[in-house]
């Protein structure tokens, strides 16, 4: 592979819990699949990990109607957390991840605190080494966002998941708040080892055509993602970094090498690539190789050396 320089270790200094990644590049939840769906496009070893589709207790069919709506420099999605449910994931998807030695974050979501507790227990029982807790999905009618925007609720939710799960705990934060520092602090105090941010922004897509002497109209409300949200993501990551000491996995509009450098300066320790996967299926491997080549060419001994240079020089 020749990507040894990209080895990344996310560490909660307070508890010494760690997550070791082959590279700092992670496929974001909802854009990759459950396990090996992208292996025809890329070498999966280029990933630090993949974050699975969001998994709930029961199987979900998702939302009716249009689920993806293209907007300028981005997408609005309202998938509605369609997924196979935790039982089918453990039975059908997890064996493939293990067989193919794919590192992954199990992304989980729920409608109640009890849902999250049950999912945490199942993850613990099945030796899943990293959870990414979705508390911030803007396109489902119940759960997720309700927890994700209230610091007290978020603290309590994180604390209860932590009580039932010993692995590396990541909480995915919403940008749809006026004070992301308070949310980040609640997560850290609740026992999370890492924060991933940002989830999608609330957005409305409108299409109007004038055909046959009448206006044809379509509107789609859901989560906005893509390069259009990068400035917001950079701001939010920087705000989170000012509030907490635990690692941050950054996401939001990443599509090229320089984006990684910008997010490092904002406070990121690793990256998730989301919407760009739909446009360039090989983007995660391309970014890993580009980053590696840059580090070799410019004599950076490892990823920590590169981060230090960006932050301190």
């Amino acid at each position: 592979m020749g990507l040894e320089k990209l080895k990344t270790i996310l560490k909660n200094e307070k508890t010494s819990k760690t997550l070791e990644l082959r590279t700092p590049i992670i496929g974001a939840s909802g854009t990759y699949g459950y396990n090996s769906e992208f292996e025809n496009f890329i070498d999966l070893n280029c990933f630090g990990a993949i974050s699975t589709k969001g998994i709930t207790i029961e199987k979900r069919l998702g939302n009716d109607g249009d689920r993806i709506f293209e907007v300028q420099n981005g997408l609005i999605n309202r998938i509605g957390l369609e997924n196979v449910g935790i039982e089918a994931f453990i039975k059908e998807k997890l064996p493939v991840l293990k067989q193919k030695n794919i590192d992954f974050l199990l992304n989980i979501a729920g409608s109640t605190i009890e849902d999250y507790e049950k999912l945490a227990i199942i993850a613990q029982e099945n030796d899943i080494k990293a959870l990414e807790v979705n508390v911030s999905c803007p396109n489902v009618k119940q759960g997720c966002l309700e927890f994700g925007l209230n610091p007290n609720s978020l603290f309590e939710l994180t604390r209860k998941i932590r009580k039932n799960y010993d692995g590396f705990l990541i909480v995915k934060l919403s940008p749809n708040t006026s004070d992301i520092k308070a949310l980040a602090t609640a997560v850290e105090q609740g026992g999370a080892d890492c924060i991933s941010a940002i989830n999608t922004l609330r957005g409305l897509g409108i299409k109007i055509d004038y055909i046959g002497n009448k206006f044809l109209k379509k509107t789609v409300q859901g989560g906005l993602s893509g390069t259009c949200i990068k400035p917001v993501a950079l701001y939010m990551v920087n705000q989170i970094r000012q509030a907490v000491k635990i690692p941050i996995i950054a996401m939001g509009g990443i599509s090229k090498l320089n984006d990684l450098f910008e997010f490092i300066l904002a406070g990121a320790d690793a990256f998730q690539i989301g919407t760009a996967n739909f446009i360039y299926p090989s983007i995660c491997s391309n970014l890993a190789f580009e980053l590696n080549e840059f580090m070799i060419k410019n004599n950076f001994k490892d990823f920590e050396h590169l981060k230090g240079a960006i932050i301190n020089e």
Side-chain angles (χ1 to χ4, degrees):
M1 282 295 299
L3 297 177
E4 291 81 8
K5 285 179 176 287
L6 299 187
K7 181 179 176 181
T8 302
I9 298 176
L10 302 179
K11 183 176 182 180
N12 182 340
E13 296 291 346
K14 183 177 179 179
T15 65
S16 296
K17 287 184 181 291
T18 61
L19 178 66
E20 185 173 312
L21 305 171
R22 282 175 288 207
T23 80
I25 309 295
I26 298 168
S29 178
T31 67
Y32 181 81
Y34 294 103
N35 43 48
S36 61
E37 286 92 332
F38 271 43
E39 66 182 350
N40 290 332
F41 299 101
I42 61 173
D43 182 347
L44 297 178
N45 290 311
C46 295
F47 279 107
I50 65 106
S51 182
T52 69
K53 279 179 64 68
I55 303 296
T56 53
I57 291 291
E58 304 291 342
K59 177 180 178 180
R60 287 196 184 189
L61 299 178
N63 291 326
D64 296 327
D66 291 342
R67 295 187 177 193
I68 296 288
F69 189 92
E70 188 172 354
V71 297
Q72 186 173 354
N73 297 319
L75 294 174
I76 290 178
N77 89 79
R78 52 179 303 279
I79 305 300
L81 287 176
E82 177 189 3
N83 74 96
V84 298
I86 189 63
E87 182 177 343
F89 176 84
I90 296 298
K91 186 180 296 184
E92 301 167 11
K93 310 299 183 182
L94 183 58
V96 177
L97 288 163
K98 291 182 175 180
Q99 176 192 350
K100 299 192 175 184
N101 194 30
I102 300 170
D103 289 327
F104 69 99
L105 319 176
L106 176 60
N107 185 286
I108 61 171
S111 299
T112 65
I113 288 180
E114 289 73 24
D115 284 351
Y116 285 98
E117 288 182 294
K118 290 176 184 177
L119 289 162
I121 291 169
I122 293 169
Q124 179 73 21
E125 291 173 345
N126 286 275
D127 297 319
I128 291 172
K129 69 179 182 180
L131 279 186
E132 182 179 46
V133 182
N134 184 357
V135 295
S136 54
C137 182
N139 52 55
V140 292
K141 294 180 180 179
Q142 184 181 19
C144 291
L145 202 59
E146 297 168 17
F147 303 117
L149 296 183
N150 184 306
N152 293 330
S153 298
L154 190 52
F155 168 81
E156 189 64 21
L157 177 65
T158 306
R159 187 184 68 83
K160 289 191 174 182
I161 294 171
R162 175 83 286 167
K163 184 178 179 180
N164 290 290
Y165 177 70
D166 292 335
F168 197 80
L169 179 58
I170 305 162
V171 178
K172 187 173 184 177
L173 293 185
S174 169
N176 299 302
T177 175
S178 60
D179 188 5
I180 202 163
K181 285 184 176 181
L183 301 179
T185 300
V187 163
E188 184 177 48
Q189 292 177 346
D193 300 304
C194 182
I195 289 170
S196 59
I198 58 174
N199 208 330
T200 55
L201 290 155
R202 289 192 184 105
L204 177 68
I206 297 178
K207 182 180 180 182
I208 300 178
D209 292 313
Y210 190 69
I211 300 174
N213 296 321
K214 64 183 297 186
F215 285 104
L216 302 179
K217 298 163 286 186
K218 177 183 289 187
T219 63
V220 174
Q221 182 174 317
L224 174 66
S225 63
T227 57
C228 59
I229 75 166
K230 192 182 82 169
V232 178
L234 286 166
Y235 173 78
M236 292 290 184
V237 168
N238 189 243
Q239 290 287 295
I240 294 166
R241 176 47 66 219
Q242 294 175 36
V244 303
K245 295 182 178 179
I246 56 177
I248 301 170
I249 302 172
M251 70 194 87
I254 296 174
S255 64
K256 58 185 185 297
L257 181 63
N258 211 62
D259 293 337
L260 306 184
F261 300 157
E262 292 176 22
F263 273 103
I264 289 172
L265 185 58
D269 300 286
F271 321 96
Q272 288 193 20
I273 314 301
T275 300
N277 283 315
F278 298 135
I279 305 166
Y280 311 109
S282 61
I283 188 168
C284 289
S285 58
N286 290 348
L287 284 175
F289 282 113
E290 286 182 43
L291 180 59
N292 190 63
E293 289 173 7
F294 177 89
M295 290 171 60
I296 291 171
K297 180 179 178 180
N298 294 284
N299 299 313
F300 291 104
K301 64 180 181 179
D302 55 28
F303 185 59
E304 285 300 314
H305 184 199
L306 173 68
K307 283 170 57 183
I310 291 173
I311 295 168
N312 299 318
E313 289 183 2

mmCIF file of all heavy atoms in Angstrom, residues 24 48 74 101 137 144 179 201 204 223 226 241 259 268 270 312:
data_model
loop_
_atom_site.group_PDB
_atom_site.id
_atom_site.type_symbol
_atom_site.label_atom_id
_atom_site.label_comp_id
_atom_site.label_asym_id
_atom_site.label_seq_id
_atom_site.Cartn_x
_atom_site.Cartn_y
_atom_site.Cartn_z
ATOM 1 N N PRO A 24 -6.373 8.845 7.827
ATOM 2 C CA PRO A 24 -7.365 9.710 8.475
ATOM 3 C C PRO A 24 -8.621 9.918 7.641
ATOM 4 O O PRO A 24 -9.462 10.747 7.992
ATOM 5 C CB PRO A 24 -6.601 11.027 8.646
ATOM 6 C CG PRO A 24 -5.651 11.056 7.500
ATOM 7 C CD PRO A 24 -5.245 9.621 7.276
ATOM 8 N N GLY A 48 -9.403 4.882 6.446
ATOM 9 C CA GLY A 48 -9.169 4.661 7.856
ATOM 10 C C GLY A 48 -10.294 3.805 8.414
ATOM 11 O O GLY A 48 -10.090 2.935 9.249
ATOM 12 N N GLY A 74 -24.415 21.249 -4.081
ATOM 13 C CA GLY A 74 -24.772 20.372 -2.978
ATOM 14 C C GLY A 74 -25.993 19.519 -3.249
ATOM 15 O O GLY A 74 -26.522 19.479 -4.363
ATOM 16 N N ASN A 101 -12.003 -7.687 6.596
ATOM 17 C CA ASN A 101 -11.114 -6.896 7.458
ATOM 18 C C ASN A 101 -11.279 -5.395 7.198
ATOM 19 O O ASN A 101 -10.303 -4.654 7.063
ATOM 20 C CB ASN A 101 -9.655 -7.314 7.248
ATOM 21 C CG ASN A 101 -8.746 -6.788 8.340
ATOM 22 O OD1 ASN A 101 -9.171 -6.602 9.489
ATOM 23 N ND2 ASN A 101 -7.494 -6.528 7.996
ATOM 24 N N CYS A 137 -29.903 13.976 13.030
ATOM 25 C CA CYS A 137 -30.449 13.815 11.681
ATOM 26 C C CYS A 137 -31.660 14.730 11.490
ATOM 27 O O CYS A 137 -32.646 14.619 12.225
ATOM 28 C CB CYS A 137 -30.862 12.367 11.445
ATOM 29 S SG CYS A 137 -31.486 12.060 9.782
ATOM 30 N N CYS A 144 -33.280 11.652 17.273
ATOM 31 C CA CYS A 144 -32.066 12.251 16.713
ATOM 32 C C CYS A 144 -31.940 13.733 17.027
ATOM 33 O O CYS A 144 -31.240 14.116 17.958
ATOM 34 C CB CYS A 144 -31.968 12.018 15.213
ATOM 35 S SG CYS A 144 -31.675 10.307 14.771
ATOM 36 N N ASP A 179 -25.381 27.378 19.475
ATOM 37 C CA ASP A 179 -24.274 27.215 20.419
ATOM 38 C C ASP A 179 -23.736 25.791 20.371
ATOM 39 O O ASP A 179 -24.056 24.967 21.229
ATOM 40 C CB ASP A 179 -24.733 27.578 21.829
ATOM 41 C CG ASP A 179 -23.590 27.610 22.835
ATOM 42 O OD1 ASP A 179 -22.423 27.447 22.416
ATOM 43 O OD2 ASP A 179 -23.859 27.795 24.032
ATOM 44 N N LEU A 201 -27.031 20.418 7.233
ATOM 45 C CA LEU A 201 -27.783 21.612 7.604
ATOM 46 C C LEU A 201 -29.235 21.482 7.138
ATOM 47 O O LEU A 201 -29.511 20.856 6.107
ATOM 48 C CB LEU A 201 -27.173 22.842 6.942
ATOM 49 C CG LEU A 201 -25.809 23.290 7.447
ATOM 50 C CD1 LEU A 201 -25.077 24.071 6.370
ATOM 51 C CD2 LEU A 201 -25.972 24.141 8.692
ATOM 52 N N LEU A 204 -33.972 23.779 2.168
ATOM 53 C CA LEU A 204 -35.162 23.642 1.331
ATOM 54 C C LEU A 204 -34.759 23.809 -0.121
ATOM 55 O O LEU A 204 -34.176 24.824 -0.501
ATOM 56 C CB LEU A 204 -36.213 24.692 1.698
ATOM 57 C CG LEU A 204 -37.489 24.706 0.848
ATOM 58 C CD1 LEU A 204 -38.312 23.441 1.101
ATOM 59 C CD2 LEU A 204 -38.325 25.949 1.139
ATOM 60 N N GLY A 223 -31.813 17.534 4.662
ATOM 61 C CA GLY A 223 -30.461 17.845 5.100
ATOM 62 C C GLY A 223 -29.583 18.267 3.933
ATOM 63 O O GLY A 223 -29.419 17.524 2.965
ATOM 64 N N GLY A 226 -22.623 18.920 0.936
ATOM 65 C CA GLY A 226 -21.846 19.234 -0.257
ATOM 66 C C GLY A 226 -20.901 20.399 -0.014
ATOM 67 O O GLY A 226 -20.814 20.949 1.084
ATOM 68 N N ARG A 241 -13.417 22.804 18.683
ATOM 69 C CA ARG A 241 -12.045 22.685 19.157
ATOM 70 C C ARG A 241 -11.759 23.626 20.315
ATOM 71 O O ARG A 241 -11.002 23.292 21.235
ATOM 72 C CB ARG A 241 -11.070 22.949 17.992
ATOM 73 C CG ARG A 241 -9.598 22.958 18.345
ATOM 74 C CD ARG A 241 -9.147 21.774 19.214
ATOM 75 N NE ARG A 241 -9.248 20.518 18.515
ATOM 76 C CZ ARG A 241 -9.662 19.377 19.082
ATOM 77 N NH1 ARG A 241 -10.033 19.342 20.351
ATOM 78 N NH2 ARG A 241 -9.714 18.265 18.386
ATOM 79 N N ASP A 259 -8.702 21.037 1.245
ATOM 80 C CA ASP A 259 -9.773 21.031 2.241
ATOM 81 C C ASP A 259 -9.309 20.354 3.531
ATOM 82 O O ASP A 259 -9.661 20.788 4.629
ATOM 83 C CB ASP A 259 -11.012 20.299 1.712
ATOM 84 C CG ASP A 259 -11.674 21.020 0.558
ATOM 85 O OD1 ASP A 259 -11.484 22.248 0.423
ATOM 86 O OD2 ASP A 259 -12.385 20.344 -0.222
ATOM 87 N N ALA A 268 -9.348 19.802 13.252
ATOM 88 C CA ALA A 268 -9.687 18.403 12.972
ATOM 89 C C ALA A 268 -8.513 17.464 13.172
ATOM 90 O O ALA A 268 -7.354 17.827 12.960
ATOM 91 C CB ALA A 268 -10.209 18.272 11.549
ATOM 92 N N ALA A 270 -9.162 14.002 12.015
ATOM 93 C CA ALA A 270 -9.429 13.056 10.939
ATOM 94 C C ALA A 270 -10.599 13.627 10.141
ATOM 95 O O ALA A 270 -11.156 14.677 10.496
ATOM 96 C CB ALA A 270 -9.749 11.668 11.470
ATOM 97 N N ASN A 312 1.112 25.019 13.952
ATOM 98 C CA ASN A 312 2.088 25.799 14.703
ATOM 99 C C ASN A 312 2.977 26.702 13.895
ATOM 100 O O ASN A 312 3.552 27.672 14.415
ATOM 101 C CB ASN A 312 2.974 24.843 15.524
ATOM 102 C CG ASN A 312 2.163 24.030 16.523
ATOM 103 O OD1 ASN A 312 1.274 24.551 17.181
ATOM 104 N ND2 ASN A 312 2.471 22.743 16.625
#
